[in-house]
Amino acid sequence: LCNLVGWHGEARILINGWCRDSDGDRTYQVQIRSDNMPLNDDLYNALSSRQRKFWDAFSPTGAVAVDYWTTRESQTQRRQQLEVDLLGVRAMYRHFPYPLENLGGHLFFEGDKVAFSNVVSKKGDHQITLNGHLTTRDQDQAAYDVSVNLSNLPLDSVLETALPQNERTVYARYHPEGLADGWVRITTQDSGSTGFVADLSFKHASLKSDQFPLGITDVSAKAAFTPNSITIKEFSGLYGAGLLHLKGQVQPAQQPNQSMYHLAVKMEPVPLNDDLVRFLPETLKKTVSDLKPGGSVNLSAQLSKEDPERYPDYDVDLECLGNRVVFQELPYSLEDITGRLAIDANHVEIKGLEATLGNCLPTPGSKATVRLNGKLTLADGTLNDASLALSASGVPFDDQFGLVLPAHLRSSYDRLSASGLLDLDVDNIHIARTSDGRKSIDFTDGSIGLRDFGFNTLGPRVQLNTTLQTNGLYKTGDGFVDCHAIVDGGTVVIRGKSFTHLKADISFDPETRTWASENLTADCYDGRLMGKVQIKEPADSRGASGCVLQAGFVDVDLQRFLSDTEPGQTTQSGHTSGRMNGSLCVDAKTGQMASRVGTCRLSISDMQVGKLSPLAKLLQVVRLVQPQDYAFDQMLVDAYVRDNGLFVRKLDLSGHDVAFTGSGWMDLRENSVDLTLTARGRRVATDDPSVLQSLTEGLGRAVVQINVTGDLDDPKIKTETLPVLQGTLQVLGAKPAPRN
């Protein structure tokens, strides 16, 4: 046959070949070619059963150029081969039903094998190139080894439909868009099933899922796919305004919570909102949600799930970028948070966390700040124990601070009307869960600083500046179980009078709920104060608290005490001078049965009255004018305290030329006085009077009586002369005028 030409429909067919018969042994070689053969049923019916398997696998349509050879060299040696050039064919592979359009390239059929050579599908900018071979095994099975190269493949619904079921489920969950480059290799496993391996890169891509509603845009990624796994080599994209990086492996499952994975995630920055909470393991979601976090963080995490029935393991590192959280148990929010948190399923490690306190009164020139380091151990997502180092600076004593205190102490705190700032530095805090479900807080190496700490107690307002070194044990629900503090320095100011170089050992008795110091000491204007104090906590929020103070002071410089000057400074000549000794004992209670009782004794020696003092005004009234008239040996005061009054049982003032004795009371709240003094004979105030002196003093009371009333610093002084004669004259109807 030499160039035999025929037509089958529109197809032009060219036939060449020969046939010989030698001694009954027939041999032949026939070639059939066509430059434009349609892929129709006629051609399908002309194929062998093995060739039809290939046809069925791809379901081609269109036209091809064919070159068919059939050869017989002997009875045992027969050969058929078919070469096909694709002419814009459209096909779809049964095991990956993605439409291949405008196919070009070369196919070679021989025996039970089909070879692909640069079979290319083009549509717009995207291209798919196939190479490989298919081998039929029997009537129902075929072996595949096909490589597919992709360029600018659209990530769309068409691709989703073509994916195997597991991959399609994952694909639909994240709704990807964009373009893919890479290769796919489709092979038949030893079990007879068809598998694949894909190595793809993605560009101009985006993802959207219920897990991140804002979507991930500008995705650039490289990943490898198999029927059972996705290996993410590189992944970066924008989530909101933050950058997301991802690496690891996922074993997809039909249900999201059944997938297994090993992932490394990095997001910087990422907003702290409900979207981020969805990423967190179940054990952390509620804890984080309750904090109502705000702001953004840099996040890196190692996430792992090896059993679909168990909670995942995780190791999360958060870098705080000026965040905000709210604690339900505390009245403060934390603002401007910086530092790092390392979180796994069983621990939270706090690294250099710093924040300012919100919801508190602003402090001029500064903010209340806290710093925290340490490690927390979790059990079932709740705190089991913790080791912490905590410091705070500039925390105001305001209404919010009162809410931090246990309920039974809040009413006492409110009555203090506290002001000032608190500094705190505790290196060792250990928190543990007790057998009854409460928590114990053990702290050592603690330092508590009180700056300008003002409070109301025992009448006048007290101002305190000091630092306490402390350690102790606190249990929620019970309060302090043990506490000890040492004061070594500082100043307390009462009614403008300063007591410096404070020293005290303070201990707490849990049986009586009493704070006590038995060795309180302080310097006081060249003198010394010594005493002890006890403060009893109320039993509950309506209970009464109490304070017992016993103090004695010796050798106090009266002139400096009255003028409040520092050592070495010159005092005004108007201040009274002398050396002062005395004692004060007060027992005060608060609450519904509030009361205050006590005693006060005071003695002054080497006393000289200053010309500008209230006492000088008294002397002016009695017309003492010479310098020696102002010299006194000493003054003695014996008084007791009841509520807001200081009741003077005896005031005795003795000098060279004049002496007074009397009694009365002072209003400690209003700073007012009401005293009645009488002139008496000259003697030392502590001496008992002689018979003659007693007679003289009796006569003095009959002759001169002085009333001191009004403001303590500027009192009104009124004298009455000859009260005995005045009483007699009143009987007779006459009334002498008093001398002021």
Side-chain angles (χ1 to χ4, degrees):
L1 303 175
C2 296
N3 295 323
L4 180 64
V5 178
W7 295 84
H8 182 84
E10 299 294 328
R12 179 176 178 272
I13 298 173
L14 180 65
I15 303 174
N16 285 283
W18 53 265
C19 178
R20 300 187 183 99
D21 190 352
S22 176
D23 298 329
D25 185 10
R26 182 166 57 89
T27 61
Y28 54 82
Q29 178 177 292
V30 178
Q31 180 189 23
I32 301 175
R33 293 190 302 154
S34 175
D35 294 332
N36 187 23
M37 180 175 288
L39 298 173
N40 53 23
D41 292 341
D42 291 343
L43 179 59
Y44 179 81
N45 293 329
L47 297 177
S48 67
S49 60
R50 293 181 182 275
Q51 293 166 342
R52 289 176 184 175
K53 287 183 178 296
F54 175 77
W55 183 293
D56 293 338
F58 286 91
S59 302
T61 60
V64 295
V66 299
D67 188 355
Y68 173 76
W69 293 77
T70 179
T71 304
R72 176 176 176 173
E73 297 177 358
S74 67
Q75 291 183 354
T76 59
Q77 292 182 337
R78 297 179 182 180
R79 182 181 178 189
Q80 291 182 343
Q81 64 183 42
L82 172 64
E83 295 186 47
V84 177
D85 290 319
L86 304 176
L87 305 176
V89 172
R90 189 179 190 277
M92 183 181 294
Y93 179 49
R94 179 174 58 196
H95 297 291
F96 191 82
Y98 187 82
L100 304 174
E101 299 182 0
N102 299 319
L103 281 170
H106 186 74
L107 303 179
F108 180 78
F109 297 78
E110 183 175 12
D112 58 359
K113 186 175 182 179
V114 181
F116 306 85
S117 178
N118 294 323
V119 176
V120 178
S121 171
K122 286 186 177 182
K123 184 178 181 180
D125 292 333
H126 78 265
Q127 177 174 303
I128 301 174
T129 303
L130 293 87
N131 286 279
H133 64 269
L134 175 154
T135 303
T136 58
R137 294 178 175 176
D138 52 38
Q139 289 295 107
D140 298 321
Q141 291 186 343
Y144 300 92
D145 189 354
V146 179
S147 294
V148 183
N149 289 300
L150 308 174
S151 177
N152 294 323
L153 179 71
L155 303 175
D156 53 18
S157 59
V158 177
L159 177 61
E160 178 183 352
T161 304
L163 292 172
Q165 182 59 48
N166 285 351
E167 287 70 26
R168 191 187 313 156
T169 301
V170 176
Y171 189 99
R173 192 178 303 153
Y174 295 102
H175 306 291
E177 296 180 356
L179 300 174
D181 295 331
W183 57 266
V184 181
R185 186 177 180 185
I186 304 169
T187 59
T188 303
Q189 310 298 318
D190 292 338
S191 61
S193 61
T194 301
F196 68 91
V197 176
D199 194 308
L200 304 176
S201 60
F202 304 91
K203 56 190 178 182
H204 312 304
S206 64
L207 301 173
K208 190 171 184 180
S209 169
D210 293 340
Q211 292 182 315
F212 33 85
L214 292 180
I216 302 175
T217 59
D218 294 337
V219 173
S220 175
K222 293 182 179 180
F225 299 83
T226 70
N228 299 315
S229 68
I230 301 173
T231 301
I232 304 170
K233 300 177 180 179
E234 297 177 12
F235 184 101
S236 63
L238 293 177
Y239 182 68
L243 185 62
L244 169 65
H245 299 274
L246 184 66
K247 287 185 178 181
Q249 189 177 63
V250 179
Q251 294 179 330
Q254 294 295 324
Q255 301 298 324
N257 57 355
Q258 297 295 310
S259 297
M260 294 182 290
Y261 49 81
H262 294 275
L263 296 174
V265 182
K266 190 173 184 180
M267 304 175 75
E268 46 185 26
V270 56
L272 288 173
N273 53 28
D274 293 340
D275 298 337
L276 179 63
V277 172
R278 292 189 182 96
F279 279 110
L280 299 177
E282 292 295 331
T283 53
L284 279 181
K285 284 183 178 179
K286 184 178 186 306
T287 300
V288 175
S289 295
D290 290 345
L291 293 177
K292 297 179 175 58
S296 299
V297 298
N298 289 338
L299 178 149
S300 60
Q302 301 289 331
L303 307 176
S304 177
K305 187 174 182 180
E306 298 180 350
D307 187 337
E309 302 301 326
R310 296 180 59 184
Y311 284 118
D313 293 325
Y314 53 88
D315 190 346
V316 180
D317 188 273
L318 292 178
E319 180 185 4
C320 300
L321 304 174
N323 305 106
R324 180 182 188 272
V325 296
V326 177
F327 293 94
Q328 292 182 344
E329 298 84 359
L330 296 176
Y332 298 112
S333 62
L334 294 184
E335 314 278 353
D336 305 319
I337 303 172
T338 59
R340 306 185 77 92
L341 296 174
I343 306 169
D344 61 31
N346 300 311
H347 303 92
V348 176
E349 187 174 359
I350 303 169
K351 304 175 181 179
L353 197 69
E354 297 189 10
T356 59
L357 285 182
N359 304 337
C360 58
L361 293 176
T363 303
S366 65
K367 293 183 178 180
T369 60
V370 294
R371 291 168 292 279
L372 186 64
N373 287 277
K375 192 170 186 178
L376 286 69
T377 301
L378 307 176
D380 299 326
T382 60
L383 177 65
N384 189 51
D385 63 65
S387 296
L388 303 172
L390 171 66
S391 61
S393 177
V395 180
F397 290 101
D398 56 10
D399 293 341
Q400 296 299 117
F401 184 84
L403 298 177
V404 179
L405 300 174
H408 68 282
L409 293 180
R410 291 174 187 169
S411 59
S412 298
Y413 175 82
D414 292 339
R415 286 190 289 268
L416 290 178
S417 299
S419 62
L421 301 175
L422 170 71
D423 298 329
L424 182 67
D425 192 356
V426 187
D427 290 335
N428 296 303
I429 302 175
H430 184 254
I431 303 174
R433 184 187 295 177
T434 60
S435 58
D436 57 2
R438 299 179 180 180
K439 293 182 178 63
S440 67
I441 305 171
D442 188 359
F443 55 94
T444 59
D445 302 325
S447 174
I448 300 175
L450 303 174
R451 285 191 279 156
D452 300 324
F453 177 49
F455 58 96
N456 296 330
T457 184
L458 302 178
R461 188 165 181 82
V462 178
Q463 196 83 8
L464 179 63
N465 283 276
T466 191
T467 300
L468 295 83
Q469 304 301 320
T470 183
N471 57 76
L473 176 63
Y474 183 91
K475 289 187 177 180
T476 57
D478 296 332
F480 281 101
V481 177
D482 179 41
C483 189
H484 183 76
I486 297 174
V487 178
D488 189 8
T491 301
V492 61
V493 179
I494 304 174
R495 286 188 178 274
K497 305 307 176 186
S498 300
F499 300 86
T500 60
H501 301 100
L502 296 173
K503 291 182 181 293
D505 288 335
I506 303 171
S507 59
F508 179 74
D509 184 351
E511 297 295 329
T512 61
R513 313 301 301 175
T514 300
W515 299 85
S517 175
E518 300 291 333
N519 59 348
L520 175 65
T521 63
D523 292 344
C524 180
Y525 303 101
D526 294 338
R528 189 73 170 161
L529 180 142
M530 296 162 287
K532 58 183 180 179
V533 62
Q534 291 184 350
I535 300 175
K536 183 176 178 59
E537 289 184 359
D540 52 46
S541 60
R542 294 178 296 177
S545 60
C547 176
V548 177
L549 172 66
Q550 301 177 36
F553 47 93
V554 295
D555 206 25
V556 177
D557 186 315
L558 181 60
Q559 186 174 19
R560 288 191 55 225
F561 180 83
L562 295 176
S563 60
D564 193 29
T565 59
E566 298 295 330
Q569 291 183 344
T570 302
T571 61
Q572 298 179 2
S573 60
H575 290 288
T576 300
S577 63
R579 310 302 294 184
M580 181 170 59
N581 302 290
S583 65
L584 174 67
C585 298
V586 178
D587 186 349
K589 292 182 174 60
T590 63
Q592 294 180 351
M593 303 298 291
S595 64
R596 181 167 49 239
V597 296
T599 62
C600 177
R601 289 183 173 85
L602 175 68
S603 67
I604 302 173
S605 60
D606 302 327
M607 182 175 176
Q608 186 170 1
V609 178
K611 293 183 178 181
L612 300 181
S613 67
L615 190 55
K617 185 175 181 180
L618 171 65
L619 299 179
Q620 290 173 2
V621 170
V622 297
R623 303 182 184 280
L624 296 178
V625 295
Q626 297 300 321
Q628 63 269 22
D629 295 338
Y630 292 85
F632 286 86
D633 295 317
Q634 68 178 29
M635 182 172 71
L636 174 66
V637 177
D638 185 4
Y640 66 92
V641 177
R642 177 175 294 170
D643 296 331
N644 293 315
L646 177 67
F647 295 87
V648 182
R649 291 181 289 196
K650 182 178 181 181
L651 186 153
D652 205 315
L653 180 66
S654 65
H656 294 289
D657 296 309
V658 68
F660 299 95
T661 186
S663 62
W665 67 281
M666 293 174 55
D667 189 319
L668 298 176
R669 177 177 295 173
E670 301 296 334
N671 202 35
S672 61
V673 64
D674 188 347
L675 296 175
T676 300
L677 304 177
T678 58
R680 63 171 176 80
R682 176 185 176 276
R683 62 175 172 84
V684 178
T686 56
D687 290 344
D688 292 329
S690 64
V691 175
L692 182 59
Q693 288 174 328
S694 297
L695 180 61
T696 305
E697 291 180 10
L699 181 60
R701 282 193 295 272
V703 175
V704 179
Q705 179 174 296
I706 304 173
N707 296 319
V708 182
T709 60
D711 186 270
L712 179 62
D713 296 323
D714 187 20
K716 296 179 180 180
I717 301 174
K718 181 179 179 181
T719 63
E720 295 182 2
T721 58
L722 301 176
V724 173
L725 295 177
Q726 184 181 42
T728 303
L729 292 174
Q730 287 176 346
V731 173
L732 299 175
K735 184 177 181 181
R739 182 169 66 93
N740 293 329

